[in-house]
């Protein structure tokens, strides 16, 4: 792991190869007494701590990180039935006399593994926090080393699931792909995939709590992890200590609404930050002298690549409009990668016109370098679990004509995303979820800090506002005048102070805070 916290983030390029970032980004009803909010496992399991699973080639690990597995029910409504394993990690940092408990961590995704997250967070959190908490990571059920699931998908990337319409706006090919992916998962994994949902992952978290011997757990969730934390808080309020939610999902819009209602606006809010970087280098990049010109150049390039993809030197894929947009999305997640994004646009434009330079080739090689593979994890694991979670948490519309109409309207309103967010996903053909979407508990103990950037293209501002509204008096809101997906440790002393103060003292701001003190790196 790197020394930057962002390397653990959902689809984040910092500290990772950019191609790995393209694998993703975004996104109690009624329960039986056996899995309700106050239910305790009659025989709490213990975790036998030992070595962690092998890493991908070239990666390193903190030797103090210990790992183990915990057996949990596949289906909590049938607790004596099939069992699965959840991989857990621990970095013991708390000091005797100062220890408060454990801080459970989730990097989002959906469907990113979190075993390495404790060492990533330990490198950025101050001693005052580390003295109080042992850091706990885990691979969510079905993900990475936790009984990994695979649909056997031919296109193994999450970004390959994003349904960009054809150049003329048609969604015919998207409909066929969505139906084929859903059928592939149904035929390969079957009904069991329905139990790999966020509610059951939250129940797994409570089994981890019990196995650790803790009455309560504190939690830090990023991106999709904010929804997971919200679900845990709703199901297990009595076992929730201090909770930090960063880069947030509106729990009332899971998942079709979250994608369709916010993605286009999020990109529109964030894109000008990168366009200004490109415009500042107008004499060399020649993409435009202001935001409007750079945006026009980009949209023209995307349309050209939609119609005529360009072969990427040394790569097995061609650059089409979808890959241009997905790469842009990934590089917008972090302020540090905006200069690279501007150079990528220049390289892509030259590639489309058949005039690639040596510098362009170097940029393309950097962006599309193959990510390292982790032993024992199916290549399509994240894509499989991305669908399992987004399709299994809540039912999606099934009306194809409705998707077509909404895509046309969205394409007109938000040209940067070309209608993709409103388009049809595999979820339209998915089995009905195994249980009702978790109902968010409003109010309760005031124990949740919401951190949200103003220009976050992955989980836009509206998601943080929606989550704060859903939790009501149980939460405090800290907004930051910054772009990108990361909040803590990204240049705002105001946001960092609120976060550290909450974790160390339990104090939350009395009123909503908007931080304008960001110092760019």
């Amino acid at each position: 792991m790197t020394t930057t916290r962002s390397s653990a983030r959902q689809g984040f390029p910092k500290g990772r190869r950019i191609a790995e970032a393209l694998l993703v980004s975004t996104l109690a009803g009624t329960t039986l007494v056996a899995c309700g909010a106050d239910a305790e496992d009659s025989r709490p399991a213990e975790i036998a701590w030992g070595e962690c699973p092998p890493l991908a080639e070239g990666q390193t690990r903190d030797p103090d990180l210990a790992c183990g597995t915990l057996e949990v029910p596949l289906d909590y409504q049938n607790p004596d039935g099939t069992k699965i394993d959840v991989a857990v990690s621990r970095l013991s940092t708390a000091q005797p006399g100062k220890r408060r408990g454990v801080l459970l961590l989730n990097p989002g995704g959906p469907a990113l593994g979190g075993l390495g997250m404790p060492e990533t967070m330990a490198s950025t959190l101050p001693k005052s926090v580390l003295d109080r908490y042992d850091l706990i990571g885990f691979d969510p059920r079905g993900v990475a080393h936790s009984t990994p699931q695979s649909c056997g998908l031919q296109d193994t990337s999450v970004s390959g699931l994003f349904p960009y319409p054809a150049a003329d706006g048609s969604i015919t090919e998207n409909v066929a792909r969505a139906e084929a992916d859903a059928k592939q998962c149904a035929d390969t994994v079957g009904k069991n995939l329905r139990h790999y949902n966020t509610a059951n992952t939250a129940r797994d978290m409570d089994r981890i709590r019990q196995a650790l011997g803790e009455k309560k757990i504190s939690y830090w969730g990023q991106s999709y992890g904010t929804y997971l934390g919200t679900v845990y808080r709703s199901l297990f309020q009595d076992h929730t200590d201090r909770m930090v939610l960063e880069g947030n999902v509106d729990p009332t819009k899971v998942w079709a609404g979250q994608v369709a209602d916010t993605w286009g606006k999020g990109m529109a809010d964030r894109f000008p930050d990168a366009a200004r970087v490109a415009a500042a280098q107008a004499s060399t990049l020649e993409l435009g002298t202001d935001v409007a010109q750079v945006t026009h150049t980009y949209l023209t390039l995307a349309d050209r690549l939609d119609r005529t993809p360009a072969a990427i030197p040394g790569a097995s894929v061609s650059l089409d409009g979808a890959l241009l947009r997905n790469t842009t999305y990934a590089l917008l997640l972090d302020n540090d990668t905006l200069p690279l994004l501007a150079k990528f646009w220049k390289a892509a434009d030259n590639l489309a016109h058949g005039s690639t330079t040596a510098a362009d080739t170097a940029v393309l090689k950097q962006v599309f370098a193959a990510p390292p593979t982790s032993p024992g994890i199916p290549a399509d694991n994240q894509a499989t679990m991305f669908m399992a979670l987004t399709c299994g948490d809540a039912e999606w519309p099934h009306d194809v004509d409705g998707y077509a109409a909404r895509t046309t309207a969205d394409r007109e309103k938000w040209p940067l995303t070309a209608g993709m967010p409103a388009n049809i996903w595999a979820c339209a053909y998915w089995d009905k979820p195994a249980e009702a979407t978790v109902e968010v508990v409003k109010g309760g103990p005031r124990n949740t800090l919401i951190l949200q950037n103003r220009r976050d293209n992955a989980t836009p501002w509206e998601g943080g506002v929606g989550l704060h509204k859903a939790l009501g008096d149980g939460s405090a809101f800290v907004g930051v005048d910054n772009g990108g997906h990361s909040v803590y440790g990204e240049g705002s002393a105001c946001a960092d102070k609120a976060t550290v103060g909450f974790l160390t003292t339990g104090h939350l701001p009395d009123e909503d805070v908007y931080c304008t003190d960001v110092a760019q790196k």
Side-chain angles (χ1 to χ4, degrees):
M1 303 294 292
T2 70
T3 58
T4 59
R5 181 177 62 96
S6 297
S7 64
R9 308 300 292 261
Q10 165 232 20
F12 291 96
K14 184 194 288 185
R16 293 180 158 198
R17 298 189 185 189
I18 305 306
E20 187 177 6
L22 298 182
L23 292 176
V24 65
S25 192
T26 289
L27 352 287
T30 57
T31 56
L32 300 184
V33 173
C35 54
D38 297 316
E40 291 281 341
D41 186 357
S42 58
R43 299 181 305 278
E46 293 185 359
I47 299 173
W49 298 105
E51 293 187 3
C52 295
L55 291 168
E57 184 178 356
Q59 294 184 340
T60 60
R61 173 178 283 136
D62 187 329
D64 291 331
L65 187 73
C67 293
T69 58
L70 182 66
E71 190 178 76
V72 300
L74 170 68
D75 178 5
Y76 277 88
Q77 295 187 21
N78 180 22
D80 296 323
T82 301
K83 300 294 194 298
I84 60 174
D85 289 333
V86 173
V88 186
S89 64
R90 179 181 67 187
L91 191 61
S92 298
T93 60
Q95 297 299 307
K98 295 183 178 180
R99 185 183 190 275
R100 181 174 182 84
V102 299
L103 182 61
L104 195 65
L105 308 164
N106 180 270
L112 278 179
L115 284 187
M117 198 172 175
E119 54 188 313
T120 302
M121 294 298 287
S123 69
T124 60
L125 290 171
K127 189 174 185 297
S128 59
V129 174
L130 298 177
D131 283 351
R132 287 166 171 78
Y133 300 94
D134 292 324
L135 305 182
I136 306 296
F138 70 106
D139 288 343
R141 62 166 48 207
V143 174
H145 301 286
S146 293
T147 311
Q149 299 300 296
S150 169
C151 291
L153 300 171
Q154 219 170 12
D155 185 344
T156 61
S157 68
V158 170
S159 61
L161 300 173
F162 296 171
Y164 285 97
D168 62 357
S170 168
I171 71 167
T172 301
E173 292 184 11
N174 304 126
V175 172
R177 169 70 187 275
E179 187 171 15
D181 284 344
K183 184 177 187 302
Q184 175 77 11
C185 286
D187 291 347
T188 305
V189 185
K191 297 287 186 180
N192 280 351
L193 202 56
R194 298 166 68 236
H195 300 298
Y196 291 88
N197 58 25
T198 299
N200 279 338
T201 303
R203 295 175 184 123
D204 295 343
M205 286 169 53
D206 205 60
R207 290 294 180 97
I208 293 172
R209 175 193 64 79
Q210 295 176 45
L212 295 173
E214 301 288 337
K215 183 178 180 181
K216 293 185 175 185
I217 55 173
S218 292
Y219 174 84
W220 189 316
Q222 302 163 348
S223 197
Y224 159 81
T226 65
Y227 180 60
L228 175 59
T230 301
V231 170
Y232 182 85
R233 185 184 186 278
S234 297
L235 291 177
F236 300 101
Q237 192 168 102
D238 290 344
H239 298 305
T240 303
D241 194 11
R242 297 169 184 172
M243 183 168 282
V244 177
L245 304 179
E246 178 184 20
N248 299 276
V249 171
D250 184 340
T252 69
K253 293 181 178 292
V254 173
W255 283 104
Q258 176 72 21
V259 176
D261 295 349
T262 68
W263 202 324
K265 186 177 186 301
M267 283 293 290
D269 288 344
R270 174 61 165 160
F271 190 90
D273 289 344
R276 276 187 283 272
V277 172
Q281 304 172 67
S283 61
T284 55
L285 297 182
E286 300 177 322
L287 298 172
T289 59
D290 57 27
V291 169
Q293 288 182 9
V294 173
T295 303
H296 175 76
T297 300
Y298 176 82
L299 292 174
T300 301
L301 174 60
D303 181 70
R304 181 186 183 98
L305 291 171
D306 277 337
R307 300 174 191 281
T308 310
I312 302 171
S316 59
V317 296
S318 293
L319 181 60
D320 58 10
L323 186 52
L324 174 77
R325 296 182 185 97
N326 284 332
T327 305
T328 297
Y329 169 87
L331 294 176
L332 285 173
L333 293 170
D334 197 304
N335 288 328
D336 287 355
T337 53
L338 296 186
L340 175 61
L341 177 55
K343 292 177 181 178
F344 168 68
W345 289 340
K346 174 62 174 177
D349 195 54
N350 285 347
L351 186 69
H353 288 89
S355 56
T356 309
T357 67
D360 296 332
T361 300
V363 169
L364 294 170
K365 183 178 180 180
Q366 180 181 1
V367 169
F368 295 114
T373 57
S374 298
I377 301 176
D380 71 330
N381 175 241
Q382 192 185 0
T384 293
M385 287 304 303
F386 181 93
M387 287 192 290
L389 290 163
T390 53
C391 302
D393 284 344
E395 192 166 7
W396 287 53
H398 302 284
D399 176 23
V400 173
D401 290 341
Y403 281 106
R406 289 189 293 274
T407 299
T408 297
D410 194 72
R411 190 176 171 87
E412 179 70 22
K413 186 175 184 180
W414 308 113
L416 288 168
T417 48
M420 181 276 291
N423 203 350
I424 192 166
W425 297 63
C427 304
Y429 296 97
W430 212 258
D431 282 342
K432 185 176 180 179
E435 59 183 297
T437 304
V438 173
E439 183 176 348
V440 176
V441 174
K442 190 170 186 175
R446 195 164 187 267
N447 60 2
T448 302
L449 177 65
I450 296 172
L451 302 175
Q452 181 67 49
N453 276 340
R454 187 65 186 85
R455 300 180 306 285
D456 178 348
N457 58 297
T459 49
W461 177 262
E462 289 74 15
V465 172
L467 175 58
H468 186 34
K469 181 179 180 181
L471 296 183
D473 293 338
S475 64
F477 184 87
V478 174
V480 182
D481 184 18
N482 199 7
H485 206 25
S486 306
V487 181
Y488 177 79
E490 293 298 321
S492 171
C494 163
D496 293 354
K497 181 179 179 181
T499 305
V500 171
F502 171 56
L503 288 174
T504 54
T505 70
H507 174 73
L508 286 171
D510 295 329
E511 298 179 346
D512 293 353
V513 175
Y514 190 60
C515 301
T516 58
D517 64 337
V518 175
Q520 298 296 348
K521 300 175 184 178

